Amino acid sequence: MLRYIIRRLAGLLLVFVGVSVITFTLAQLVPVDPAVAALGQNARDEQIEAFRRQYGLDRSPVEQYLSYVGRLLQGDLGTSIRTRRPVAEDLRDFLPATIELALAAMVVALILGIALGILAAVRRNSLLDGAARVFALVGGALPIFFLGLVMLAIFYSRLRWLPGPGRLDALLQPPPRVTGMYTVDSLLAGDWTLLRNSLEHLVLPAATLGYFSTAVLLRMTRSSMLEVLGQDYIRTARAKGLHDRVVLLRHALKNGMIPVLTTIGITFGSLLSGAVLTETIFAWPGLGRYATASATSLDFPAVMGVTLIAAIVYPVVNTLVDIGYHALDPRIRAG
Amino acid sequence: MPRSSPISRRLLCFIGLLLLAACGAPAAQPTTQPSAGASAPPSASPAGQSPAAGGTASAKETLIFAADLSDQISLDPAVVYEFGGIQVVGNIYETLVSFDPGDSILKPVLAKEWEIQDSGDMWTITFSLDQSAKFASGRPVTADDVIYSWSRVLDLNKSPAFLFIDIAQLKKENMRAVDPQTVEVKLPKTASPQVFLSILSFTIGGIVDKQEIMANAGSDMGSTWLNDHSAGSGPYVLERWERGTQNVLSANPNYWRQAPAIKRVIMRNVGEAANLQAAIETGDADIVQDLGPEQIKALENNPDVQIVKATATTLVYLGMNAKTPPLDKVEIREAIRYAINYDEIVNNLLSGNGEVVQEIIPAGLFGHTASKPFKQDIAKAKELIAKAGVAEGTEIEMLVTAAANAPGGVEWSTLAAKLQSDLQQIGLKITIKAIQQSELLTIYRAQKGQLVLILWGPDFPDPDGNVTPFTNYEAKSIAWRNAWEAPDIAKLSQQAALEQDSTRRAELYKQITERVLHEGPYAVLYQPTRPFGVRKNVKGFVYDAVDTPAVSFWLLSKE
C-alpha cells in the first residue's frame, strides 16, 4: 500500500511538471503583452520596462520557467499582478469557497442522484422512473449558466425564497476563519445566524452546479442497478426468501455502486470546471472566478497557481476513487 | 419486481424531506428585504448574533453600492489608476483642492486657500493648510505630510505618476514646507498651474498620514500595506478589501468636517447586468452602476427605483492613421466623418445611453463648444472621395477590441459593424479585426493601425487632459498613435494649457476644436452616459465624472 501511494505521488509530480510546462508554453504563445494589459493605455515606456523587470518578463521563457519552479520549491507561488498579493494568499482565500461549493454540489448529486437512481431501477418503467429519466435528460442537456440564471430569476428575483449572489448577505461579517468554508466556520463559532445565512446562500449555486452531476449519477446508478438486479445471484437470494430490503442493501447495492464510484470521480472533475460558470453567475468568490479574472487580465503567476491546484486535485480525487474500489471490490484488493 | 417495496417508500420520504429542507425552510422566513423601511432584514438586525464591525451601523446607516469593480488592483492613492479603486480611495483620502459635485470650479478642502505667483523663471504656488484638518489617526495634517505624499508618487512611479512627472513637471526639489501649515511648490513655465491644480483634485493628490505609513512602510513605501489599511483624512476609513468580492468602508470616527449620515459603505463587485437589476429590485443594493438598456426598460416602472443617467467624460472615437493611404488624404478622413450616421448610433445602438459629441473636449469639461458639424451626407462624402481620387472598393482594416461592451452598453462588434455598413455606402471596404485589448494597444502605440475603434477618458479634469494627447505628436499619445503631425495646432494647445485668463483660454480651445474637427485624424462618435439605479429612499445621489470620487458617499443619506 505504501509503495502504491509513493508511486501515485511520483506520478502526481510528473503530472504537475507536464501541466505547468504546457500552461507556461501556452502563455508564451498568446499574442498579448501582460505589461500592457496591466498598465493600460496611458502607461509610459519606462513604466512598462520597469513592470517587465519586476515580474521577470524581460527574461527568456526558459529562464522564467526555471526561476518559477525554483521559487515554487521554496513554497513561493509568486505575486499576483492583479491582486498585488502573494498568489498563495489568494488561493488560501478563494480555494475554500470553491471546495465548499463543490462539496455541497456533490452532496446534492450523491443524495439525489443515487437515491433517485436506485428508486428508478427498483420501480422500473413506473411513472417515477419516467420522471427521473426526464429529470436526468434535462440535467445533461441544460447549460449551467442558463440554469443558474433561471434559478436566480425564480427563487431570488421573483419568489425571494433564497438570497441572491454572494456567500453571505452584504450586511453580515464572515465568521472567524478556521477552514475558510463559511458554513463550517460559522458552525465552529456557534453562530447560527451566519450558519443559516451561508447555507441559504449555498443552496442555489450548489443545486445549479450539482444538477449536471445528479443527472449523470442518476443514469449511471439506474443502469448499473438494473444490471445487478437482473443477475442470477440476486434471483437466488430472492428465491431463498430473503427480504427485499436485505437483497437490495446487502447484495445488490454494493456491486451496483462500483461503476457509480468511477462516475463520481469523473463528475468531480466536471464540478471544478462547472464552478467557473457557477461562480461567475452567483458572484461566488472562489477559484473559478479567480481563474477567469486572472486569465483575462493575463495574470500569469495567478494562472500558474490555479493550474497547480487543479493538477493536484484531479490526481488526488482519482486516488481516492481507487482506494474506494479497494473497499468495495475484493477482487481489486487481491489483484 | 415489487411495485412498492417498503425500502423505496422510505427512500422517497427521505428525498422529500431533503427537498423540503433545501427549499421549504427559507420559504417560511425570507431573508431579503422586501422593501425599504424601518424594519431591517432579519439577518441584518443589529441586535443579531453577528453585528457589523463597529457594531453601530444600522441598515439605515449602511449603504450598499453594487458595480463592476473587477479592475481594482490597488488602494494606494499614489498607485491607484482604475475606476473601481479610485471610487474607494476617493472616499478615504482628501486632497488639497477638489470640485464640488456638479460644479467645475475648484474648492478648498485640506488647503483653505492657495495663491499662484509668477516668480520670473517659474510659477510659485503657495497652499495654506486648514489647521483643523486631521487624519483618522487623530494627528493633524501638516505640510510635511503633503510633501511626503507627493514625493511618494514620484518615488513609486506607478501608472498615474506621469501626471506629476510629465504633465505638471513636478520635482522633489521644487516642493518645500515653509512652515507646518504652508506648502510651496514651484513649476517650470512650460507647465500649467491650472492643470496642476486639477491634477491635485484626483486621487494622486491624496494626502497620506506620513507617520502611519513610515511605521508600516515595508519595502514599497507602504504600498502593499495600504491595500488592506488606510491612512487618510477623509470621511471614511477602509475596513477591508475582500479581493474580487467587496470593499467595506466605515465612517472615520475622527473626521474633522461634518460626519457623514452613512456610517458604513459596502461596495460589492457585481459585473453581470442581470444581477445588478435583481439587486436593486430586491433592495439588496441601494445603488447600482452601469445598467444595460434592457435593465433600464425593466426598471422604468418600478416605484422603488429611480434611474439616473449621469454623463461620463469618456469619448468613443474612430482613429484614422494619417500616414496610411488612403487615410493620409484629409478629404478621405472628412468623407468618413460624413459617412457615419451618428444619430442612429446613439438612438438605436445605445438606446439613448449617450449623446452625439464630435469634438475632442467632452461635455462637462471647460472649453467644450457643443459643435456638431457632421450629419450623415452620403452624396457629400462620395464627392470628397472622388476629389481625393480614391477608387471604389478600396480596402481598409478596422481594429476593435474583443471585449464585450463599449460604454453606453453597445457591443464593440456591433458598433464596428455599423461603421462598416455606413462606410460601405461611400465605397470603402472595411475589414473588421477584433483582437485582445492589450494587443490592440500594442499595435496602436506602434502607429501600425489603420482605423482603430476605441475610447478615451481624460486623465484629469481639465481640457488639456484631452487636447494635448489628441493634438501633440510629441506627447506620444493619441496624435502620435494616429501618425498625425500638426505642429501649429500643438503650439496652440500648449498656449491654451498655460493661459491664465479663462476667456482667452476658452477662445483658444474653440479655435483648436474647430481645426481638429476637420483636419484631425478622428471621427468622434459619442459621449456615453452611465445609467445608475438608485433606490428611492436614498437621498443626495450625484455622479460627477469630473469630480474625484465620482460618487461621494458622504453626501448621501437614507430615509
Side-chain angles (χ1 to χ4, degrees):
Chain A
M1 193 64 189
L2 189 69
R3 265 184 64 191
Y4 174 74
I5 290 176
I6 291 173
R7 236 190 2 232
R8 294 297 300 228
L9 282 178
L12 201 136
L13 201 69
L14 217 66
V15 167
F16 173 64
V17 171
V19 170
S20 65
V21 167
I22 292 172
T23 318
F24 208 85
T25 316
L26 282 178
Q28 299 299 326
L29 293 178
V30 179
V32 285
D33 186 341
V36 178
L39 298 176
Q41 73 165 308
N42 301 329
R44 294 173 311 151
D45 292 347
E46 66 185 73
Q47 286 171 336
I48 292 179
E49 281 310 306
F51 184 90
R52 290 213 174 100
R53 267 198 310 280
Q54 189 186 347
Y55 289 96
L57 299 168
D58 52 343
R59 290 177 295 167
S60 78
V62 177
E63 268 181 281
Q64 283 184 47
Y65 180 73
L66 289 179
S67 88
Y68 175 74
V69 173
R71 275 184 284 120
L72 193 64
L73 290 176
Q74 299 161 30
D76 179 7
L77 287 169
T79 304
S80 158
I81 296 174
R82 195 173 53 88
T83 66
R84 308 278 155 119
R85 280 202 309 181
V87 172
E89 227 172 276
D90 279 347
L91 292 178
R92 203 198 59 158
D93 270 9
F94 292 115
L95 186 60
T98 297
I99 293 178
E100 185 175 45
L101 177 59
L103 285 180
M106 207 65 210
V107 168
V108 170
L110 284 177
I111 294 174
L112 279 183
I114 295 180
L116 282 175
I118 295 174
L119 271 181
V122 172
R123 297 175 159 204
R124 190 181 180 182
N125 294 332
S126 67
L127 195 65
L128 179 86
D129 184 25
R133 279 153 75 186
V134 169
F135 177 79
L137 200 68
V138 172
L142 215 57
I144 224 168
F145 70 89
F146 180 71
L147 180 66
L149 289 177
V150 169
M151 290 271 216
L152 274 177
I154 296 175
F155 293 104
Y156 165 56
S157 293
R158 187 143 303 235
L159 298 176
R160 304 201 182 169
W161 286 359
L162 288 165
R167 292 177 80 186
L168 278 182
D169 282 358
L171 297 173
L172 293 179
Q173 291 261 80
R177 187 198 164 89
V178 183
T179 62
M181 291 185 254
Y182 286 0
T183 44
V184 177
D185 287 353
S186 46
L187 193 66
L188 290 177
D191 190 328
W192 309 119
T193 317
L194 275 188
L195 178 64
R196 186 199 161 97
N197 194 262
S198 54
L199 276 174
E200 283 168 4
H201 274 270
L202 199 51
V203 173
L204 286 183
T208 304
L209 182 57
Y211 191 14
F212 177 75
S213 311
T214 307
V216 176
L217 279 180
L218 193 161
R219 276 192 285 187
M220 202 61 210
T221 308
R222 181 179 176 275
S223 66
S224 164
M225 285 303 284
L226 278 180
E227 199 190 315
V228 172
L229 285 172
Q231 279 178 4
D232 289 346
Y233 78 95
I234 295 290
R235 202 175 316 139
T236 312
R238 286 224 171 91
K240 279 201 304 188
L242 286 181
H243 197 278
D244 275 335
R245 182 173 31 165
V246 179
V247 173
L248 192 67
L249 291 182
R250 199 167 303 162
H251 295 274
L253 199 57
K254 210 168 166 189
N255 284 335
M257 279 303 108
I258 293 172
V260 174
L261 193 61
T262 315
T263 319
I264 293 175
I266 297 168
T267 48
F268 196 80
S270 75
L271 280 186
L272 286 182
S273 54
V276 172
L277 287 172
T278 314
E279 287 177 2
T280 306
I281 292 162
F282 288 94
W284 194 266
L287 204 61
R289 217 167 168 230
Y290 181 66
T292 348
S294 308
T296 46
S297 57
L298 307 173
D299 184 351
F300 291 139
V303 171
M304 295 296 283
V306 175
T307 311
L308 173 73
I309 295 287
I312 290 171
V313 168
Y314 278 83
V316 166
V317 170
N318 277 330
T319 310
L320 288 178
V321 169
D322 285 354
I323 293 167
Y325 285 139
H326 281 245
L328 277 177
D329 193 343
R331 283 171 302 179
I332 295 175
R333 238 176 292 168
Chain B
M1 198 138 306
R3 278 258 138 172
S4 56
S5 64
I7 180 88
S8 61
R9 210 176 295 147
R10 219 171 299 163
L11 261 172
L12 209 63
C13 283
F14 177 60
I15 294 171
L17 273 175
L18 270 173
L19 286 175
L20 264 178
C23 318
Q29 205 178 354
T31 44
T32 42
Q33 195 173 1
S35 71
S39 67
S43 50
S45 152
Q49 284 176 34
S50 46
T56 48
S58 68
K60 197 181 154 221
E61 291 172 329
T62 304
L63 183 93
I64 301 175
F65 178 88
D68 183 353
L69 303 172
S70 54
D71 63 349
Q72 194 181 333
I73 53 176
S74 173
L75 291 181
D76 178 347
V79 177
V80 68
Y81 203 53
E82 302 75 34
F83 286 112
I86 289 168
Q87 182 54 40
V88 184
V89 171
N91 277 283
I92 296 176
Y93 297 89
E94 287 179 320
T95 47
L96 296 200
V97 295
S98 184
F99 295 99
D100 278 345
D103 192 355
S104 61
I105 295 162
L106 283 165
K107 300 276 162 64
V109 185
L110 290 174
K112 60 175 192 274
E113 54 195 19
W114 58 93
E115 196 185 4
I116 303 169
Q117 281 170 308
D118 186 342
S119 48
D121 54 336
M122 292 196 117
W123 300 111
T124 303
I125 308 165
T126 315
F127 298 95
S128 311
L129 301 184
D130 195 318
Q131 293 195 19
S132 50
K134 57 180 179 180
F135 290 110
S137 63
R139 278 186 283 268
V141 178
T142 66
D144 199 29
D145 293 301
V146 173
I147 290 179
Y148 176 74
S149 303
W150 293 348
S151 303
R152 260 186 101 239
V153 173
L154 299 174
D155 288 338
L156 285 166
N157 193 11
K158 295 297 184 190
S159 304
F162 76 98
L163 294 170
F164 273 6
I165 299 172
D166 298 337
I167 312 280
Q169 300 167 50
L170 182 65
K171 290 201 167 58
K172 273 159 88 170
E173 62 264 30
N174 291 340
M175 312 182 239
R176 76 186 178 100
V178 178
D179 61 56
Q181 258 75 53
T182 313
V183 179
E184 186 192 272
V185 178
K186 283 188 192 299
L187 299 180
K189 276 293 177 64
T190 43
S192 155
Q194 212 50 48
V195 167
F196 177 61
L197 288 175
S198 19
I199 289 173
L200 285 187
S201 78
F202 185 55
T203 40
I204 192 180
I207 305 305
V208 296
D209 186 338
K210 180 180 174 184
Q211 286 188 48
E212 196 80 34
I213 305 282
M214 296 289 257
N216 301 285
S219 60
D220 59 359
M221 304 185 84
S223 214
T224 305
W225 184 80
L226 281 175
N227 286 337
D228 298 291
H229 307 84
S230 60
S233 62
Y236 294 95
V237 294
L238 179 69
E239 209 170 293
R240 61 204 145 92
W241 169 23
E242 291 172 42
R243 307 296 198 278
T245 310
Q246 62 185 12
N247 299 278
V248 182
L249 310 183
S250 50
N252 170 2
N254 277 328
Y255 192 46
W256 61 287
R257 295 196 293 178
Q258 197 193 343
I262 299 291
K263 303 295 180 208
R264 202 146 187 267
V265 182
I266 297 164
M267 299 174 65
R268 304 208 102 186
N269 177 22
V270 181
E272 301 68 33
N275 284 347
L276 286 174
Q277 183 193 330
I280 197 74
E281 272 174 350
T282 54
D284 276 0
D286 297 304
I287 300 171
V288 295
Q289 181 173 279
D290 294 335
L291 292 163
E294 284 163 44
Q295 284 75 40
I296 295 174
K297 222 167 271 164
L299 289 167
E300 248 160 17
N301 296 319
N302 189 319
D304 300 323
V305 179
Q306 189 192 354
I307 303 287
V308 180
K309 288 192 182 182
T311 311
T313 44
T314 324
L315 292 176
V316 174
Y317 72 96
L318 182 68
M320 308 183 248
N321 192 311
K323 287 211 175 90
T324 312
L327 300 169
D328 54 343
K329 297 199 168 63
V330 76
E331 295 90 351
I332 290 295
R333 303 202 294 263
E334 191 80 342
I336 288 176
R337 285 187 280 260
Y338 275 114
I340 298 168
N341 192 330
Y342 303 89
D343 293 334
E344 259 178 36
I345 291 176
V346 168
N347 297 334
N348 304 352
L349 301 188
L350 299 175
S351 310
N353 280 339
E355 52 181 308
V356 175
V357 168
Q358 296 177 339
E359 63 190 276
I360 55 173
I361 301 176
L365 283 190
F366 178 84
H368 175 76
T369 62
S371 165
K372 282 183 247 185
F374 305 108
K375 231 181 156 49
Q376 190 180 45
D377 187 341
I378 302 294
K380 187 164 184 178
K382 278 189 162 166
E383 203 176 288
L384 283 162
I385 288 208
K387 197 172 142 202
V390 172
E392 181 102 353
T394 302
E395 285 189 32
I396 310 177
E397 186 182 80
M398 186 196 293
L399 296 180
V400 63
T401 172
N405 280 351
V410 63
E411 280 186 27
W412 279 110
S413 57
T414 312
L415 190 58
K418 166 70 182 150
L419 294 178
Q420 184 187 40
S421 83
D422 280 355
L423 295 180
Q424 174 101 46
Q425 293 186 49
I426 60 166
L428 295 177
K429 194 162 178 269
I430 308 295
T431 32
I432 298 173
K433 204 170 148 196
I435 52 177
Q436 264 277 342
Q437 171 80 357
S438 51
E439 193 191 355
L440 177 76
L441 281 179
T442 307
I443 297 174
Y444 197 27
R445 278 161 181 277
Q447 302 184 321
K448 295 214 174 88
Q450 296 183 8
L451 292 176
V452 175
L453 178 57
I454 197 166
L455 62 87
W456 175 263
D459 294 300
F460 49 91
D462 185 274
D464 187 50
N466 270 23
V467 172
T468 290
F470 272 102
T471 59
N472 193 335
Y473 186 78
E474 304 297 328
K476 285 229 169 182
S477 186
I478 310 177
W480 157 272
R481 291 170 199 172
N482 289 289
W484 183 55
E485 285 180 85
D488 53 330
I489 300 183
K491 208 171 209 169
L492 276 179
S493 328
Q494 245 159 349
Q495 206 183 324
L498 294 173
E499 181 58 59
Q500 299 290 304
D501 178 74
S502 60
T503 323
R504 177 82 193 111
R505 199 172 185 222
E507 262 165 39
L508 283 168
Y509 279 127
K510 189 163 189 294
Q511 219 176 317
I512 296 165
T513 298
E514 282 307 313
R515 288 195 59 187
V516 176
L517 268 170
H518 296 285
E519 294 169 42
Y522 318 109
V524 177
L525 304 176
Y526 65 90
Q527 186 174 344
T529 50
R530 299 191 91 159
F532 287 81
V534 182
R535 295 286 296 183
K536 288 260 171 77
N537 63 325
V538 175
K539 299 294 162 198
F541 175 80
V542 181
Y543 174 91
D544 183 0
V546 171
D547 186 28
T548 303
V551 179
S552 305
F553 294 132
W554 67 88
L555 297 177
L556 300 174
S557 61
K558 275 167 88 174
E559 274 177 0

